[in-house]
Amino acid sequence: MKQVLEGNSAVAEAVRLARVQVISAYPITPQSHIVEVLSDYCATGKMDARYLRVESEHSCLASLVGAACGGVRTFTATSSAGLAYMHEMLHWTAGSRLPIVMAEVNRALGAPWNIWSDQTDSLSQRDTGWIQLYCEDGQEVFDTTLQAFRLAEWVNLPVMVVMEGFLLSHTYEPVDIPEQEEVDRFLPPYNPAFKVDTKNPFTVNSIAPPSIYMEIRHDNAVAMDQVPERFDDVEKEFEVLFNRRYGAVEAINCDDAEIILVTSGTITSTARLLLEDLRDRGEKVALLKMKMFRPFPVELVCRALKSAKKVAVIDRNFSSGAGGIFLQEVRAALCNRQDRPLVFGYVVGLGGRDVTKAVLEEIYKATKDGDVPSDKSVWIGLREVKHAIGR
Amino acid sequence: MRLDADEREFMCSGHAACPGCGAVIALRIFTKAMGENTILVIPASCTGVIVGVYPQSVMRIPVVHAPMPAGASVASGLRAALDMRGDTDTTVVAWAGDGGTFDIGFQALSGAVERNEDFIYVCYDNEAYMNTGIQCSSSTPYGAWTTTTPGQDWKRLRKKNIVEALVAHRIPYVATANIAFPEDLVRKVKKAKSIKGSKFLHIFASCPPGWRIPSEISVKTARMAVQANIFPLYEVEDGVRYTINYKGKQRPVQDYFEVQGRFSHLTAEDFEQIQKMVEEDWELLQRKAGDQAADACIQSSSAKRAIKPNKVF
Ligand SMILES: Cc1ncc(C[n+]2csc(CCOP(=O)(O)OP(=O)(O)O)c2C)c(N)n1
Ligand code: SF4
């Protein structure tokens, strides 16, 4: 049934329908509505789950590691500083091969304080071994959260469902919420690969010396490498029941385009509008939406960008000293391909600055007119400021 | 000596500890008192190594290794999972060193016991970060040498009173214990196991290399800490009812300090000052235990303050 929900509530509904058994969370704007709704569901019996009201994000993820070792389905949500505070546990979760699902609401990292949308928080955790899926609208947030449990439990890796703060978390949209029975058909009860039990004593995560650590990590790599294929399988199952499908990447008009814009998250929706306009004007332009960031779907990206002359990667995130993070990954994916396109990179919208159609059109023009891409990302829409340190 | 504990051993031989390791003695007695329906959560510490390197384990009960700050939080989640599975027979135990308890794990511990998580949290206290090479922790006592309080820069700060910090959370049960008093330890473990909610056991566990003592006096040294009132044996129920468990043979602090190389730089003056500090703490504790008795007395009659702690030994 269609309901008008904010993105945060869409997450909470998916978690309820996924019959999560242990939830642990620590509040942070703009994630807080998710945990408020879920703690209410646990308190009122709308969910048969334990809600752990932990004192920090480190403990939050640590408690879910304990719960997942105990063989139950687990969920948390966080953002920005909270995610950074989890860093040690992010590695630990993936290393333990625990299928924990997290909603990550993108928010800028301080200093200075800023609570608005910026993907640097999740992207700077790219090497922690979590699958990362970026969402564009409320329906995708809901669907991806459900899919995340199926995927995580299939490959025994944790999944981060990433959505932008306010732009998705606090925006109300119609979201189709299925019945419990339908969800149960898609997502069977969790059948853990292992669970700690006194009847069958074993040790979890004892010291692994150099003679075995590499093999354990390689196991992680093999599991991660399967993800694009497994995600496709999950989406096929999902589509049969719910008639919706997203793809690890979505290539729109890429076959005959000269210039392809590469986006993720909500900027994609704006880019879709621009694409229509430009196509109407006869421009040979296309759009590649990146949903999956980890693992980076190299094959799919290269296939989509194959025929283009130029690619413009648009990043609402920034790695100081290296530029936009999607830009780095797209360049790395293409570097060994023949006839690869020129790759231009743009940094936009940091700390929640609005990314309008006009901004994207400026990027398109700059790419079309540019001969050689800059090594660095080009910053769009910078204002003149008087106070600058360290110039 | 026969202990009122499981005949079976839950810790096998072949562990990786130094000879005379107090942590091992503590763990062996503790697990015998707990029995097989026990899961250990072990944050990074000497015990994390002692229990075995992959693919071997010396434990016959399940062990979940945890990051150093996460003993109490991993245990909380595991308890929640067992509850959801309907497993009420199993006791979850977090087993952490003093560094993992007093310092980096303190926030998680405080959070977990504030929620009154149903687990036993054990801090085996060897008074420094031993696993990383005898660095100072907030449990390191006044006067001690460690590798980060070297030479004349020995620690001139008092040991953090972790028991009182836990008591302040008003959890159902907090107790101190010592490897040299195994019957008392077993009794406290069993008591902790029988109580619902958060239980905290603080077990004094000597460390021969860290304390610069020969391994054969490991237990004796731990015993002297009790006799000198440096590590009193007591328990606190519901954050208010204090019971002192040992008032046997007494010793001056110097006896305890003199046998340990980590205190070899201390002078007679230092001993005098430490003796005063210990007496001050001991009196404070007696007053807490005694005030209880006094209150009870005042209610029943107008009898004088009875500062007579319960005696177990
Ligand atoms: C976050 C983090 N910081 C530092 C360490 C390194 N480390 C491992 S064990 C340890 C000391 C443990 O000391 P304690 O808890 O007192 O136990 P002990 O080794 O003395 O038995 C340290 C500092 C770590 N594992 N994790
Ligand atoms: S260093 Fe101390 S605590 Fe660690 S194993 Fe050796 S004796 Fe035990």
Side-chain angles (χ1 to χ4, degrees):
Chain A
M1 195 182 71
K2 283 230 160 141
Q3 294 180 27
V4 177
L5 294 177
E6 64 164 25
N8 279 339
S9 304
V11 173
E13 285 310 293
V15 171
R16 175 179 66 79
L17 289 163
R19 298 186 188 274
V20 168
Q21 293 157 291
V22 175
I23 298 162
S24 182
Y26 189 84
I28 181 168
T29 304
Q31 152 268 34
S32 357
H33 291 174
I34 300 176
V35 305
E36 286 167 10
V37 172
L38 289 176
S39 66
D40 180 62
Y41 285 178
C42 293
T44 55
K46 223 173 157 187
M47 280 182 79
D48 181 19
R50 274 285 301 280
Y51 183 94
L52 291 170
R53 183 184 40 76
V54 284
E55 89 302 329
S56 74
E57 286 89 354
H58 194 287
S59 290
C60 162
L61 196 48
S63 62
L64 290 190
V65 163
C69 283
V72 299
R73 190 170 280 159
T74 52
F75 173 81
T76 187
T78 192
S79 177
S80 181
L83 185 68
Y85 202 34
M86 284 180 180
H87 181 73
E88 178 186 29
M89 294 312 306
L90 292 172
H91 279 282
W92 195 268
T93 307
S96 311
R97 302 293 303 275
L98 296 170
I100 295 170
V101 172
M102 168 195 299
E104 206 308 294
V105 188
N106 284 135
R107 155 181 161 176
L109 279 154
W113 286 120
N114 175 299
I115 58 167
W116 294 277
S117 180
D118 187 312
Q119 298 168 325
T120 311
D121 57 351
S122 53
L123 289 170
S124 63
Q125 304 296 347
R126 61 188 162 178
D127 301 331
T128 55
W130 284 61
I131 296 165
Q132 290 196 1
L133 303 171
Y134 288 75
C135 300
E136 185 184 345
D137 59 28
Q139 186 69 55
E140 188 174 1
V141 163
F142 175 85
D143 293 345
T144 308
T145 306
L146 277 185
Q147 292 171 346
F149 288 102
R150 184 84 180 92
L151 179 64
E153 291 165 17
W154 198 336
V155 296
N156 289 295
L157 287 173
V159 179
M160 217 178 266
V161 177
V162 189
M163 56 195 270
E164 282 151 281
F166 299 105
L167 299 172
L168 282 184
S169 65
H170 287 60
T171 301
Y172 281 78
E173 292 176 87
V175 181
D176 197 354
I177 306 289
E179 295 300 317
Q180 182 70 62
E181 304 81 67
E182 292 175 277
V183 175
D184 289 346
R185 245 177 286 149
F186 171 70
L187 188 64
Y190 177 38
N191 180 22
F194 68 90
K195 65 172 182 227
V196 180
D197 194 343
T198 51
K199 308 231 161 32
N200 170 32
F202 59 82
T203 296
V204 184
N205 286 328
S206 52
I207 294 177
S211 57
I212 193 69
Y213 184 86
M214 257 183 97
E215 282 70 19
I216 293 172
R217 271 298 157 275
H218 185 249
D219 257 14
N220 271 68
V222 170
M224 198 53 132
D225 288 346
Q226 295 175 11
V227 168
E229 213 176 304
R230 288 293 86 79
F231 181 65
D232 196 50
D233 295 335
V234 169
E235 283 225 296
K236 276 184 198 138
E237 293 176 7
F238 190 85
E239 191 179 20
V240 169
L241 288 162
F242 304 110
N243 218 10
R244 284 186 299 274
R245 174 164 199 168
Y246 300 90
V249 302
E250 183 188 348
I252 306 155
N253 296 336
C254 283
D255 290 343
D256 66 342
E258 285 177 3
I259 297 179
I260 299 179
L261 306 179
V262 179
T263 60
S264 63
T266 59
I267 291 176
T268 310
S269 299
T270 314
R272 287 181 199 274
L273 297 175
L274 176 68
L275 188 70
E276 277 176 29
D277 285 5
L278 293 175
R279 281 261 158 184
D280 287 349
R281 284 186 245 150
E283 300 288 322
K284 291 204 153 170
V285 58
L287 179 62
L288 178 66
K289 165 184 164 176
M290 300 292 309
K291 179 185 178 79
M292 185 178 289
F293 176 77
R294 273 293 177 273
F296 198 77
V298 173
E299 200 44 54
L300 297 172
V301 168
C302 290
R303 208 183 305 154
L305 300 180
K306 166 168 102 237
S307 62
K309 292 201 176 63
K310 292 175 179 174
V311 168
V313 184
I314 302 165
D315 276 296
R316 189 195 281 277
N317 59 77
F318 179 62
S319 168
S320 192
I325 296 171
F326 277 92
L327 170 68
Q328 297 165 47
E329 302 268 342
V330 169
R331 278 183 178 160
L334 290 168
C335 79
N336 289 331
R337 308 281 158 150
Q338 305 250 298
D339 304 323
R340 56 185 179 272
L342 292 173
V343 184
F344 295 72
Y346 302 92
V347 166
V348 296
L350 298 186
R353 186 169 300 183
D354 208 8
V355 180
T356 60
K357 206 164 87 180
V359 168
L360 297 184
E361 187 155 6
E362 184 184 339
I363 287 171
Y364 175 71
K365 282 208 184 98
T367 308
K368 192 176 176 187
D369 299 343
D371 297 326
V372 188
S374 151
D375 287 341
K376 302 191 182 93
S377 294
V378 174
W379 292 57
I380 301 293
L382 282 186
R383 299 162 52 215
E384 275 298 319
V385 279
K386 290 228 168 58
H387 314 285
I389 302 172
R391 286 262 169 92
Chain B
M1 176 189 66
R2 278 186 63 86
L3 287 175
D4 180 21
D6 206 308
E7 290 288 322
R8 292 169 297 174
E9 297 289 340
F10 297 96
M11 197 176 181
C12 312
S13 57
H15 62 70
C18 317
C21 174
V24 165
I25 300 170
L27 185 58
R28 178 172 165 235
I29 300 171
F30 176 83
T31 47
K32 281 172 80 70
M34 286 298 296
E36 63 196 336
N37 277 334
T38 308
I39 301 175
L40 288 179
V41 174
I42 305 179
S45 58
C46 270
T47 310
V49 183
I50 290 167
V51 293
V53 170
Y54 180 90
Q56 279 155 341
S57 168
V58 297
M59 302 309 297
R60 289 201 168 101
I61 51 174
V63 173
V64 178
H65 289 266
M68 197 180 173
S73 39
V74 171
S76 302
L78 190 51
R79 179 69 263 166
L82 295 179
D83 288 347
M84 289 308 295
R85 272 163 51 184
D87 177 347
T88 48
D89 297 335
T90 301
T91 305
V92 175
V93 175
W95 180 275
D98 48 284
T101 303
F102 288 58
D103 295 335
I104 198 167
F106 187 68
Q107 177 178 313
L109 172 60
S110 175
V113 303
E114 187 266 334
R115 298 191 302 274
N116 200 21
E117 295 287 352
D118 185 19
F119 62 35
I120 301 178
Y121 188 104
V122 179
C123 170
Y124 69 96
D125 186 2
N126 51 30
E127 303 198 312
Y129 300 128
M130 296 309 179
N131 182 247
T132 36
I134 326 173
Q135 293 87 11
C136 181
S137 79
S138 63
S139 171
T140 301
Y142 184 96
W145 160 91
T146 65
T147 55
T148 52
T149 50
Q152 273 314 298
D153 204 16
W154 48 270
K155 192 176 177 191
R156 284 181 178 79
L157 299 164
R158 281 165 111 125
K159 177 181 170 113
K160 185 191 283 182
N161 191 333
I162 195 74
V163 175
E164 288 304 317
L166 269 294
V167 166
H169 288 74
R170 288 226 174 196
I171 58 177
Y173 189 60
V174 179
T176 67
N178 185 304
I179 55 164
F181 297 84
E183 294 95 337
D184 178 65
L185 171 57
V186 167
R187 182 182 64 78
K188 285 169 177 170
V189 173
K190 290 190 158 185
K191 185 163 174 181
K193 194 181 163 188
S194 73
I195 296 170
K196 234 183 129 51
S198 297
K199 288 81 61 175
F200 181 81
L201 293 182
H202 183 200
I203 308 180
F204 202 66
S206 37
C207 166
W211 294 8
R212 297 291 193 251
I213 55 171
S215 54
E216 61 273 17
I217 68 160
S218 184
V219 174
K220 186 178 166 196
T221 309
R223 184 180 304 117
M224 284 200 282
V226 173
Q227 293 169 335
N229 291 332
I230 284 167
F231 192 88
L233 293 179
Y234 67 110
E235 43 198 327
V236 188
E237 285 157 280
D238 300 318
V240 285
R241 287 192 305 285
Y242 282 69
T243 309
I244 296 175
N245 310 119
Y246 178 85
K247 274 215 81 193
K249 180 182 164 145
Q250 303 281 302
R251 290 177 181 275
V253 295
Q254 197 164 343
D255 288 6
Y256 170 72
F257 281 73
E258 260 172 3
V259 296
Q260 303 180 53
R262 63 173 170 156
F263 298 116
S264 61
H265 48 270
L266 297 181
T267 62
E269 254 170 53
D270 295 326
F271 287 135
E272 211 173 294
Q273 194 186 343
I274 293 170
Q275 183 72 52
K276 261 195 223 137
M277 283 159 47
V278 167
E279 275 164 23
E280 188 183 290
D281 286 349
W282 175 236
E283 272 163 32
L284 198 62
L285 176 62
Q286 281 187 306
R287 228 181 301 144
K288 283 177 189 156
D291 280 345
Q292 296 285 320
D295 286 348
C297 289
I298 289 161
Q299 274 169 22
S300 56
S301 70
S302 56
K304 283 212 186 90
R305 284 163 67 98
I307 311 182
K308 257 242 170 80
N310 292 7
K311 220 156 131 181
V312 165
F313 293 99

